[in-house]
Structure formats: C-alpha cells, structure tokens
Amino acid sequence: MLRHALLALLQSDVPGLPEHRVANMFNPLASPGASEKEIALLTFAVTGAIFVVVAGLIVFAMWRFRRKPGDDERQEPPQVYGSNQIEVAWTVIPILIVFVLIGVSARVIVGVENASPPPATVKLTLVGHQWWWEVDYPEFKVHTANEIHVPVAHNGSHATYLTLESADVIHSFWAPQLAGKVDLIPNRQNFTWIDPSEPGVYFGNCAEYCGTQHANMLLRVIAQEPADFNRWAAAEAKPAVDDPEMAAAKAMYQSLSCVNCHTIRGTSSRGTFGPDLTHLMSRETIGAGVLTNTHEHLRAWVDDPQESKPGSLMPSMKLTDRELNQVVAYLETLK
Amino acid sequence: MANEEILTVDALTLERHWTLPDRGKVGIVFLIITESVLFSMFVAAYLIYLGKSLVGPYPKDVLDVPILATICLLSSSLTVYLAEHALSKNELGRFKFWWIVTICLGLEFLMATGLEWKKLIYEDHLTISTNLFGTTFYSLVGLHASHVTVGMIFLLVVLAVTLMGFPIQTQFRRVLFLSWYWHFVDAVWVVVFTVVYIIGR
Amino acid sequence: MASIDYPLDRPRQEEEAHSFSESLYSWVATVDHKRLGLMYVVSALIFLVIAGIMALVIRMQLMFPDGHVVGPDTFDRLFTMHGTTMVFLVGMPMVAGFSNYLVPLMIGARDMAFPRLNAFGFWIFLFGGLLLYFSYIGGGGLGGAGSAPDVGWFAYAPLTSKAFSRGAATDYWALGILVSGAGSIASAINVIATTISLRCPGMTLSKMPMFVWVMLVDSWLILIALPPLSAAQIMLLMDRQLGANFFDTRAGGSAVLWQHLFWIFGHPEVYILIFPAFAILSEVIPIFSRKPLFGKPAMVGAVVAIGFISLGVWAHHMFAIGMTAWSNTFFAAASMLVGVPTGIKIFNWTATMYGGRIRYSVPMMFCCGFLLHFLVAGLTGIMLAVAPFDWQLHDSYFVVAHFHFTLIGGLVFALMAGMYYWFPKVSGRLLSEKLGKWSFWLLVVGFNMTFIPLHFVGFLGMPRRIYTYTADRGWNTINFVASIGALIQAVAIACFAWNVLYSLKKGEHAGDDPWDAWTLEWATTSPPPEYNFEKLPVVRSGRPLWDLKHPHDPDWKYE
C-alpha cells in the first residue's frame, strides 16, 4: 500500500508544482486572462454604477409613493403622461455609456485575437475527441494526450500557440486562469495563445457540451520552467521504454485489440482512435482527468472503463485476471 | 353633461366612417412574409455552399436551364390574374377558362421539375446525399416545388367546386388571396432560378 | 349614455348542468379565443410543472460533488428536455395564450380574425409537444439506442448527426418542435390580422393598449424569427434521414451553419418570450400606481427598436467559435445597443410608479420583483455582450444564472402578475391575496438563493451541462445552496397551484372590474360572455374606462 502511494507521488512528472484546481478567472496568470479580467472589472464598475442608480430609483419609488393608510381611496394622483426631455435624456446617456463600452471591448478583442506571436513560441495542436484531448507538438515530435505541458513565459518569450481542431463534435478549450475559451470545431482551425507567468498546474474543462462524458473531459495545463519543459519534451519524444523483462507482458498487450485504438511508439500498437500511451506513466491522471494514475485506478480502468466513465468510447475488453495483470504491468513500464 | 353629448355624436360619426384593412389580406400578406424568410434560409445555404462541394457532379456539368418550365410558371401568374379579374366582373366563363390554363401551366412546371430530377438522379447520379450541391439543390428546388404543389391543390379544389356548381363569385376574396399566394410562388421561382441556374452555374 | 356598456355588477347566471361529454366536446371543438387562450395557458402551466420537476432532479444531482442521483445519460436528457420544454412548451404557449385571450377583449372585438386557425394553432402546438415527449417511449430506434433527446436545447451539429446521436431521439426533437412551431406562426398571423383589422371604432393604433402593441411587435418577431429555426430543423432532418450534407463536415458542410441559423432564431426568440412580460407590466403597473403608463409613444418606439435590433445580435452566442475581430466587435456593439431601449422601458415603468399612489396587491408585488430582477438580468447581459468578458463567461454557469434571471426573475414573475391580475376576469373569482403573498415571498427567496450564487461558480470555471463535478474545484457550497433554493421555489409554485385550485371553487367573487382598471376587458362580465360585449364599444382615448369614470377629466382632452 505504502509502496503504491509512494509510487503514485513519484510517478507525477510534476512534483512540487502548485495546483490551481479552483480556476478563478479573477486570478489570471497569463496575459489573455489578465486583459479579460481588466475589462471585466471595468464592466463591473459601469454596470454596478447603473445598478445602484436605477435600483435605487426603483426602490425609492416603491417606498415613497406607496398608498398610505390615511389616503382617500377615490382620489387619483396627478395623471402624468410623459415628458419628452426626460425620454431624450435617458436615451442619450445610456447610448453614450454603450459607446464607451464598445470602444474598450473593440480594443481588447483586437488585442487578444490579432496578437502576433512573440519570439521563442512553442506551437502545439490540440485535437478534441469524445472525451479526451489529443496534444501534438510537431516541432518537438511529441504526441501525447490530455495533459498539456507548456513552458512558463518569461518577459514575453516562450508563449504557447495552440491550434485547435476537432475529430468529431464541437469541444471548447477553457482554462480560466490562462485565457478565455475557444471552441474546437470539426473541419475548422481555431487559434489561441497563452503565456503562463508562473509554474503550476492549471485546471480547466471542456466547455462545449459534447455528449455523455462532457463533464469528465478535464484539462490540465502544466506550465513548467523552460528547462524543465524541454526535458519533458525530450523524454516524450523518445519511443516507448522496452524492458526486456516485460517481454511477455508486452506480447500479451500486443495480442489484444488495444493496439487498434492506441499508439505506443516503437511497437506495433498504432491505433489513433484513443490516446497515445507511449509515455502513459508520465501523466498524473487517466481518462482525461477522471482518475488519478495509480495502480488501482489503472487496473480498474483497463478492466472496465464504463465503471468510472460510463458512456466512454473505450469498451471493457473482458480480460481475464491473468491478461489484465500482464497488460497493466506492461503499461506501467511506459514512463 | 356637455362632454357626454359631444362624445355620443363623435361615436356615431366614428362608427360610420371606421374602415380597417380586410383581415384576409393581412393574413395572406403576413403568411407570404414568413414564407419568404423560410425560403431565404435555403437560398442562403445554397449560396454559402456554392463551389464548396468536395466531389462532383457540379452544377455546370449537369444543370440545363429550364426555360420552358420557367416561361410556363411565370405566365401562369398572368393567367391567374386574368382569371381573378374576370371573376371580379362576374364573368364566370372567362374565369373558368383562365383558371384551367393556370392549372395546366402549373402542372407543366411540376412535370418538368420531375423530369429534370429523374435525369439528375438516374443519369447524372446526383442525389441529396451526393455532395453539397445535391443537398442544397434538392432542398431549395424541392421546397419551392412543394409550395407549387400546395398551391396546385388549392387551385384544383377551386376548380372542382366551381365545376360542381358552387357560386365561386361569392368567395371572390378567397380566390384573390389564393392568386396572391400563386404570385408569391412565382416570385420565389424568379429568385431560385437566378440563384441556381444563373449565378450557380 | 355613450355607446359602451358601463360595467355593473350583474348577478351571475346559474349555469345549466352539462353532461361531461357535452362539456368535453365544447372544449375540444371550440374556436372561442377565450377558451383557446385558457387552454394555451393551462397547457403551459402543466409543462412548467413537468420541466420544473426535471430542474429539481438536476439540482439534486448537482447538490453534492460526485452526485449519484442520476447517471450522465439521464442527466443529459433532463437538461435537454428541461430547456426545450420551458422555451417551446411553456414560453411560447404563454405568448399565444395571453395574446389570444386578451387582445380581442382589449380592442373591443368579438373574437380573433381567424377563429378556426386559432384552434388549429393550439392543437398543433399540443401535438408537437406530445410528439416531443413521445420520444421517451419511441426514441429507441435501432439497437435500443436513444430515448428522449439529449443534445441540449440548442442541439449543436454535429453532435446531432446520425453518427453521434443514435436512435430517433434527435428526430423527435426536430420534428416535435417543427410541428409545434407551426402553431406559433398561426397564432402570430392571427394576432397581426386581429390588431390591424378588428379594432373597434375610434381605436386608432395610437389608442391601442400597450399590451396589444407589444403583442403585435411580438407577432412580427415570431414571423421573422421562427422560419430560420424551421429551416435548420428541416435541414437537420434531411441530414439524418436522407443523407443530406448541410452540417456534415466530412462532405464539406459546416457545423457553424447550424449555429448561425439556430441563433438567428434563438436570439429574437428570447425577446419573443419576454415581450408578454413587458405587455403585462405595461398594464398592471399603471393600474396599481393609479397613473397612466409614462411615455407611451416612447414605450412603443422602444419595443419596436428592441424588435429590430434583436434580429442583428445573434452571434453573441458564438463569440468563442473563432470569428474575426470585426465580427466579434459588431455583435458585441449591437448586443450592448439593444440594452438601451430595454433600459428605457424600465425607466418608464419606474416613472409610472413615481408620483403615484401604489397599492401593493399581489400583481404589483410581482411587477416590482420583475423590475429589480430584470435590471440585474439586463446588466449581466451587458457583461456577456462585452466579448472578451464573454470569452470567460460563455457556456459557464454565469450564462445559466443570467438567463434564469431573465426567464424566472423576469418572465415568470411577470406572468404571475398577469395571472393574478386577470384570473378574476377569466374565472369570476379573486385569487387569495394571502396565498399569493406567500407564493411571492417564497419565490423571491428561493429564486435568488438558487441563481445569485450560480453567477459565481461561473467565475470559478464551472461549465454548463456537466452531470457532476469533483470536490476540489471550489464549487461545492454554491451548488448546495442553489439546490436548497430550488426546493423553496418548488414550494412557491405549489403554493400558487393550490391558490388557483382553491380559488376556482372558493375564491371571493370578483365582479366585472375588481381592480378599478381602464381598458376594455374590464367593461364586460367576469368571465366575459362568449360574444365578449353586448354592444361593440366606441372609444375616444387609450383609457376608455377612465373616460367613463372621470367624465369631467377624460383622457381624450390630453391626447
């Protein structure tokens, strides 16, 4: 038990990184998020002022002009039909307020959407699947899933540019502390960029309903210091660990139809329907964040994914205990 | 007291001179408006997907301009006007003549559409599922043809009851509104024709 | 005496006993706008309870993290059916019900322009709704897949394609709503023809009650906004059943096309839904403030402006799909602009109260609730219109909180005001003030308890339409409180239902004009006879009953 717990701790490629599980958009740690927070605060100020004034007037009118006990029932108050000056006033003032908001919004929209990439940019392609994320870094020859490693951006360099695509339905990439959301739409390429200013694990969710397990298509954006990121990328680019002692377990794995859906680079497992497993054990979680990557969880997942993620497109292969043990043992070598 | 008297006199005058538009006219006009919006959506889809089909057949390969059918349908607007005009003057014989001509012209249009589709499906192998052109073509032209068909059914009903002796001139208003619907269907064809056979080819 | 029958409290005529089948037939075969209007409203209320129960189950599932009340499939069907039912089977029939019942009475007519079309509209609406619900039984399709639709009320492609939505569930969604929509179009044409062609002598358009004006513009909006939805649903059915490629990305089709078509309908739709609230407030607030509606011409202008502008803001639902900066800016600007005429209306209602002598009967209490809630809703709407802010808020619980503020805090409160106000006219009996006040306060507390906190989980990253969440995201307390609020809302609605059922039998008799009002529906009995008025009225101002009650100071002296 203890050994497993220690292993679980050490398995994490990101020991010591602060986790931002509560993804508060008002605590941004990247520029897009920061400019969105700024405009949010301005909007709060404007709408807050409007609320105080108008609600105040409404409540004042409700209280001041209520019928009082001594009032004569049959006497009607002065019948006022309207006032052109007042109508003009409370048309013009809101229009002016709206123009201010439009101007500010336009500036931020252009700033975020039309930003040109700063130097030393890392480029990755994120492809949405039902219900997991495919992550591809063409320049680094890294192909992984679900946990998105990016370098911390220092002084405007090492920002990360994401190309967003979808393999099936519409998904949406949303890590609130980093940036606003952008959709992943089939047959279309969208773009977004983030420049995390601090190392950490930033949590997020798929933010466009994409079917049964939309709730469990979780995001972890792992921002590391550039040196750590490069080390990670170099490790990920290598083909799968091939431990000669695990030959039998590997053979068992390759004899099953897992190979039709999953890729393990350097082996005959070349399916692309499911996540790449080449460095499965470098990930903190499995099932796109639904389970932590422990021995028990991994075993339970391979045995029957429907238990933890009902509706998931990975079927239970109905393995015998022996087959299951060997497969899990093999997977656990894929560091 | 003085106020009440004035009110009564005003009221009587008002009642005598109070005329508002015919409710049937309003109804048919707004039906036409809402149907126009519906057609616009399919026209928009056609235009958006023009040139975007990933596989053939393509419009210029398979579309023949339906000149005769168009002439028939557009003339039927004229003939239906002549029919309804005759009815407004109680000339039943002339009404029946032009009404039948309208029906024949409409039938010709529908038959021509059917033949065109037969050719496209069986010879050119273009179906609604073949490509974007097939999808947008059959849905737009089909939507129009279905409206022609509905109009045709009503035209035939009017013809049937007239031939069976019903005094159709007592329903002149409704015949007029039906003719407006028929004009609408023709106007839509002008748009569809332009978009599909002129712009689209 | 002027040619209008002054309302007198006439003794109620004893009803002849009818057999059950005679009664049933008279309701099923009716073309009377009052009966059809009532049937629309009653159907809407029944669907409200059904969809409300769905909401309760949703809130119970989300009350705690890792909830196990229902599984993901059931949850997805619940939120889809809850949204679809509330918009199409509660909101739309309320529009039709209120306008069909009240418009002829308010303009001094005997019925709508097309009574048989009216009946057709009602029954096809009901049929469409039943077809949608039949999906629970019939949605099985091949291999037993599918049941009720589970694609969300706005049913984005390509999730709705045959590949990702197996079984017939999505087909029932598209077909049921398509059919039901035909009823809305019929009703809209009817309202327009009625207001244009059947006004009583003297009632020029400017003298038409504000309620009728709002319903007229609403009907225009329906005629223009519903066809894009129908077109989209026809296209979807063609894709699913005939292999068409409208939204098939593998054939080059566009998933975004669905979004454009849907929201070209969807945004005006929310104004279509809220207009009855505007209409009701414009009648109730003046009566209980004892003053005419402030700035009626400006109010008419504002309603028309809202109608127009609302047709041009749809892509604010699509800020996250990657449109160009110019497109995003345009739609942000237009969306903020539509807040201006809406604000003008709030100001005018407040100005109506200002200087008045406000009587806080239950209808007025609900109106005040509307004003404050709708103000909040409008302001959170401005927040959503600011596109960069929306990039965070879109598809989060902030949006859910915003639109429930407009729909419950706004529309439901206003509909309650309208029901408490006109229930006496429809039934001849008053609803209990005491039960009414209980239901009001319970609804205020429960509603705010649920939806104010939900704004904040939106800020904390909670997306919409998730069937569960883990305990470490910071969403636990808020969801718990929101779910308690839902239970309180349920009690409020139950209170209202009890009030209705009780008062129908034991309520105080209302007489023709219990509220001392000024529009024509109060100039006939409660309930009105089938022919509405003994003699069709002739009017000379926008407040004909005010003129009768104040012959030395009639409105037409000032108009």
Side-chain angles (χ1 to χ4, degrees):
Chain A
M1 259 315 265
L2 182 62
R3 184 169 152 271
H4 286 308
L6 278 174
L7 264 174
L9 258 175
L10 292 172
Q11 262 163 15
S12 166
D13 190 47
V14 292
L17 276 184
E19 288 194 328
H20 299 270
R21 288 179 187 251
V22 179
N24 184 353
M25 68 162 277
F26 288 103
N27 184 16
L29 285 162
S31 313
S35 55
E36 284 149 13
K37 173 188 172 182
E38 252 181 57
I39 202 173
L41 292 177
L42 171 69
T43 312
F44 274 143
V46 171
T47 52
I50 296 175
F51 178 76
V52 166
V53 169
V54 180
L57 281 169
I58 293 173
V59 170
F60 174 73
M62 278 168 59
W63 169 81
R64 166 72 179 78
F65 298 103
R66 70 196 185 287
R67 182 174 296 257
K68 298 192 195 70
D71 279 348
D72 178 4
E73 280 282 319
R74 280 156 312 159
Q75 239 228 327
E76 309 280 31
Q79 303 288 291
V80 177
Y81 296 88
S83 153
N84 281 337
Q85 292 99 314
I86 295 183
E87 297 291 348
V88 167
W90 65 38
T91 307
V92 166
I93 296 176
I95 290 183
L96 292 174
I97 296 177
V98 162
F99 277 150
V100 166
L101 278 176
I102 292 174
V104 176
S105 303
R107 215 168 29 89
V108 176
I109 291 172
V110 170
V112 172
E113 277 198 73
N114 295 350
S116 31
T121 300
V122 168
K123 294 202 184 65
L124 72 86
T125 301
L126 192 64
V127 182
H129 294 256
Q130 281 182 319
W131 294 283
W132 60 279
W133 307 90
E134 180 185 337
V135 195
D136 188 25
Y137 303 72
E139 295 160 341
F140 294 85
K141 303 218 187 332
V142 168
H143 199 97
T144 180
N146 292 324
E147 292 173 15
I148 306 168
H149 287 250
V150 299
V152 171
H154 289 298
N155 300 323
S157 73
H158 294 106
T160 303
Y161 255 67
L162 295 90
T163 303
L164 305 170
E165 299 170 359
S166 171
D168 42 35
V169 299
I170 301 181
H171 302 273
S172 191
F173 170 74
W174 188 31
Q177 288 185 279
L178 297 177
K181 62 185 64 69
V182 182
D183 288 352
L184 289 76
I185 300 173
N187 205 27
R188 186 190 175 99
Q189 273 189 340
N190 277 335
F191 304 95
T192 187
W193 62 277
I194 52 177
D195 56 350
S197 56
E198 281 175 27
V201 181
Y202 298 92
F203 277 57
N205 280 66
C206 169
E208 183 60 63
Y209 176 63
C210 49
T212 313
Q213 281 296 337
H214 163 66
N216 284 322
M217 191 169 160
L218 300 168
L219 275 167
R220 272 169 155 77
V221 179
I222 299 169
Q224 304 170 280
E225 294 293 351
D228 294 325
F229 171 79
N230 288 329
R231 223 174 304 124
W232 170 84
E236 287 284 319
K238 297 200 184 97
V241 166
D242 193 2
D243 186 346
E245 283 178 37
M246 300 301 291
K250 178 176 169 184
M252 168 58 71
Y253 168 82
Q254 290 189 143
S255 72
L256 299 167
S257 48
C258 317
V259 304
N260 291 325
C261 284
H262 292 284
T263 296
I264 299 179
R265 255 171 292 130
T267 73
S268 62
S269 188
R270 286 202 214 101
T272 53
F273 185 70
D276 186 305
L277 300 178
T278 311
H279 298 282
L280 174 64
M281 299 318 284
S282 72
R283 302 208 273 263
E284 289 182 354
T285 61
I286 52 177
V290 79
L291 294 170
T292 48
N293 194 356
T294 66
H295 174 78
E296 273 81 24
H297 286 158
L298 186 57
R299 194 168 194 284
W301 177 263
V302 175
D303 181 33
D304 187 5
Q306 302 298 319
E307 278 286 313
S308 329
K309 202 166 175 180
S312 154
L313 296 174
M314 173 168 156
S316 164
M317 302 309 292
K318 306 261 190 286
L319 301 177
T320 64
D321 262 344
R322 189 181 140 263
E323 291 168 331
L324 187 58
N325 289 334
Q326 293 214 286
V327 169
V328 173
Y330 172 63
L331 289 174
E332 285 177 328
T333 66
L334 300 172
K335 297 203 184 355
Chain B
M1 271 320 277
N3 285 346
E4 274 188 30
E5 282 169 37
I6 297 169
L7 188 61
T8 315
V9 166
D10 272 346
L12 286 174
T13 324
L14 267 173
E15 277 184 85
R16 264 187 235 120
H17 294 297
W18 188 248
T19 49
L20 291 171
D22 179 323
R23 70 178 99 164
K25 269 190 205 160
V26 176
I28 196 80
V29 163
F30 282 89
L31 176 68
I32 287 172
I33 290 177
T34 200
E35 292 268 75
S36 305
V37 180
L38 183 70
F39 272 101
S40 318
M41 297 298 127
F42 283 91
V43 168
Y46 192 90
L47 290 169
I48 289 172
Y49 281 147
L50 208 50
K52 302 256 178 20
S53 295
L54 297 179
V55 298
Y58 301 100
K60 57 178 168 21
D61 302 335
V62 298
L63 281 185
D64 295 321
V65 183
I67 305 230
L68 180 62
T70 303
I71 292 178
C72 285
L73 190 67
L74 296 184
S75 332
S76 71
S77 252
L78 175 62
T79 58
V80 85
Y81 166 73
L82 289 169
E84 133 310 81
H85 190 71
L87 188 61
S88 72
K89 294 197 290 199
N90 263 321
E91 292 164 17
L92 278 174
R94 201 165 284 190
F95 162 73
K96 280 184 221 174
F97 173 74
W98 286 117
W99 200 255
I100 293 174
V101 172
T102 305
I103 290 176
C104 292
L105 290 170
L107 277 172
E108 200 286 342
F109 176 85
L110 285 175
M111 273 182 351
T113 305
L115 288 171
E116 180 196 26
W117 285 22
K118 180 155 167 257
K119 167 202 170 278
L120 287 170
I121 294 172
Y122 290 107
E123 287 176 31
D124 300 314
H125 304 296
L126 177 75
T127 64
I128 198 173
S129 57
T130 308
N131 56 10
L132 289 174
F133 166 54
T135 294
T136 51
F137 173 82
Y138 285 110
S139 56
L140 178 59
V141 175
L143 186 71
H144 176 259
S146 66
H147 280 71
V148 173
T149 308
V150 166
M152 189 62 82
I153 293 174
F154 278 100
L155 290 176
L156 286 167
V157 165
V158 167
L159 181 66
V161 301
T162 307
L163 292 178
M164 290 190 321
F166 178 82
I168 192 70
Q169 61 272 29
T170 59
Q171 291 296 329
F172 171 70
R173 269 174 73 245
R174 293 194 166 121
V175 170
L176 179 68
F177 302 147
L178 178 55
S179 79
W180 288 3
Y181 175 81
W182 193 254
H183 292 310
F184 161 69
V185 157
D186 283 3
V188 171
W189 179 248
V190 170
V191 174
V192 172
F193 178 82
T194 310
V195 165
V196 173
Y197 296 98
I198 302 188
I199 299 179
R201 257 166 35 107
Chain C
M1 194 57 178
S3 61
I4 185 171
D5 291 305
Y6 190 77
L8 298 166
D9 272 306
R10 276 171 275 260
R12 282 158 297 113
Q13 285 158 326
E14 284 306 315
E15 295 266 313
E16 283 172 42
H18 293 289
S19 75
F20 175 72
S21 57
E22 276 175 358
S23 273
L24 184 64
Y25 178 77
S26 73
W27 282 93
V28 167
T30 188
V31 294
D32 177 3
H33 72 100
K34 298 183 289 300
R35 285 195 159 193
L36 289 167
L38 199 55
M39 283 150 76
Y40 266 119
V41 172
V42 168
S43 307
L45 288 173
I46 294 176
F47 279 117
L48 176 75
V49 169
I50 295 173
I53 292 174
M54 292 177 182
L56 269 178
V57 177
I58 290 173
R59 280 311 329 159
M60 291 302 104
Q61 163 68 9
L62 293 173
M63 194 163 175
F64 299 104
D66 295 312
H68 289 292
V69 173
V70 292
D73 288 326
T74 310
F75 186 89
D76 297 340
R77 283 178 209 131
L78 281 172
F79 72 69
T80 302
M81 291 297 276
H82 167 80
T84 306
T85 304
M86 286 297 193
V87 171
F88 294 107
L89 304 178
V90 178
M92 296 303 277
M94 282 293 191
V95 172
F98 270 85
S99 50
N100 276 308
Y101 192 99
L102 291 168
V103 166
L105 286 167
M106 285 184 170
I107 62 173
R110 295 208 182 282
D111 205 314
M112 299 287 286
F114 306 116
R116 287 172 299 189
L117 183 67
N118 206 359
F120 168 79
F122 170 75
W123 290 108
I124 205 137
F125 139 75
L126 189 62
F127 178 67
L130 294 174
L131 193 59
L132 174 70
Y133 273 82
F134 183 73
S135 62
Y136 275 108
I137 311 169
L142 276 178
S147 167
D150 59 354
V151 288
W153 89 275
F154 39 84
Y156 276 0
L159 185 62
T160 47
S161 66
K162 260 279 197 278
F164 300 108
S165 274
R166 291 179 208 103
T170 303
D171 300 296
Y172 277 105
W173 179 88
L175 202 54
I177 302 304
L178 186 61
V179 163
S180 219
S184 299
I185 302 240
S187 192
I189 294 181
N190 218 348
V191 169
I192 296 177
T194 306
T195 46
I196 293 184
S197 306
L198 296 187
R199 280 168 286 129
C200 64
M203 189 178 285
T204 58
L205 283 174
S206 63
K207 296 191 174 62
M208 227 164 53
M210 192 63 204
F211 182 97
V212 181
W213 262 110
V214 175
M215 292 314 210
L216 176 64
V217 179
D218 207 13
S219 303
W220 264 98
L221 258 187
I222 290 176
L223 288 189
I224 303 197
L226 244 61
L229 175 69
S230 308
Q233 289 169 328
I234 293 172
M235 293 176 187
L236 177 64
L237 286 167
M238 285 181 172
D239 269 21
R240 288 177 58 87
Q241 298 298 331
L242 300 175
N245 303 306
F246 284 104
F247 313 115
D248 181 357
T249 47
R250 283 168 316 133
S254 163
V256 167
L257 176 65
W258 170 270
Q259 293 192 34
H260 279 296
L261 286 172
F262 186 87
W263 290 117
I264 290 175
F265 150 77
H267 194 84
E269 168 68 4
V270 309
Y271 288 95
I272 290 170
L273 292 179
I274 200 70
F275 271 24
F278 294 168
I280 292 170
L281 251 79
S282 301
E283 295 300 320
V284 175
I285 290 186
I287 300 300
F288 288 89
S289 308
R290 307 312 301 167
K291 287 175 65 227
L293 182 67
F294 189 91
K296 187 169 165 194
M299 289 293 255
V300 172
V303 139
V304 171
I306 294 173
F308 264 117
I309 304 178
S310 74
L311 292 166
V313 304
W314 78 88
H316 69 224
H317 298 269
M318 297 160 65
F319 280 144
I321 66 146
M323 294 187 299
T324 64
W326 196 93
S327 298
N328 282 332
T329 307
F330 171 80
F331 283 105
S335 307
M336 287 184 240
L337 212 54
V338 82
V340 173
T342 318
I344 289 175
K345 295 188 82 66
I346 296 187
F347 304 147
N348 277 286
W349 286 316
T350 310
T352 306
M353 290 162 62
Y354 200 93
R357 251 172 232 150
I358 307 174
R359 184 193 296 131
Y360 283 107
S361 305
V362 175
M364 188 61 183
M365 292 169 75
F366 275 109
C367 285
C368 292
F370 174 94
L371 284 174
L372 291 166
H373 290 137
F374 200 70
L375 175 64
V376 170
L379 295 173
T380 57
I382 295 287
M383 293 180 204
L384 290 165
V386 174
F389 198 178
D390 183 73
W391 288 334
Q392 291 281 7
L393 302 174
H394 170 70
D395 251 337
S396 77
Y397 261 83
F398 185 89
V399 179
V400 174
H402 161 76
F403 67 69
H404 282 93
F405 254 82
T406 57
L407 289 172
I408 304 185
L411 182 61
V412 168
F413 270 68
L415 290 173
M416 289 288 177
M419 287 190 282
Y420 276 86
Y421 182 61
W422 279 296
F423 183 90
K425 175 55 54 181
V426 171
S427 68
R429 292 178 187 267
L430 291 164
L431 283 169
S432 148
E433 279 278 304
K434 183 147 161 275
L435 276 173
K437 288 186 174 153
W438 266 101
S439 68
F440 171 78
W441 287 112
L442 281 168
L443 196 59
V444 167
V445 169
F447 164 73
N448 283 289
M449 190 184 284
T450 300
F451 290 103
I452 291 182
L454 288 180
H455 290 95
F456 296 95
V457 277
F459 294 144
L460 294 176
M462 184 171 178
R464 289 173 75 163
R465 301 171 156 187
I466 53 173
Y467 74 98
T468 190
Y469 53 94
T470 51
D472 54 356
R473 307 298 300 273
W475 303 336
N476 306 355
T477 313
I478 289 178
N479 273 289
F480 178 78
V481 170
S483 297
I484 302 291
L487 291 167
I488 299 177
Q489 288 180 72
V491 176
I493 302 292
C495 217
F496 166 71
W498 173 244
N499 198 352
V500 170
L501 295 171
Y502 173 84
S503 303
L504 277 173
K505 285 269 140 51
K506 299 252 176 58
E508 204 185 308
H509 287 294
D512 293 357
D513 181 18
W515 308 115
D516 193 5
W518 302 317
T519 41
L520 287 175
E521 76 271 26
W522 305 103
T524 182
T525 58
S526 301
E530 201 175 327
Y531 46 84
N532 290 351
F533 302 97
E534 283 192 23
K535 277 183 286 190
L536 284 184
V538 175
V539 304
R540 225 183 139 194
S541 80
R543 294 193 296 170
L545 294 199
W546 169 277
D547 295 345
L548 282 173
K549 295 174 189 178
H550 302 266
H552 301 296
D553 188 28
D555 256 10
W556 49 262
K557 253 170 72 183
Y558 305 96
E559 281 182 6

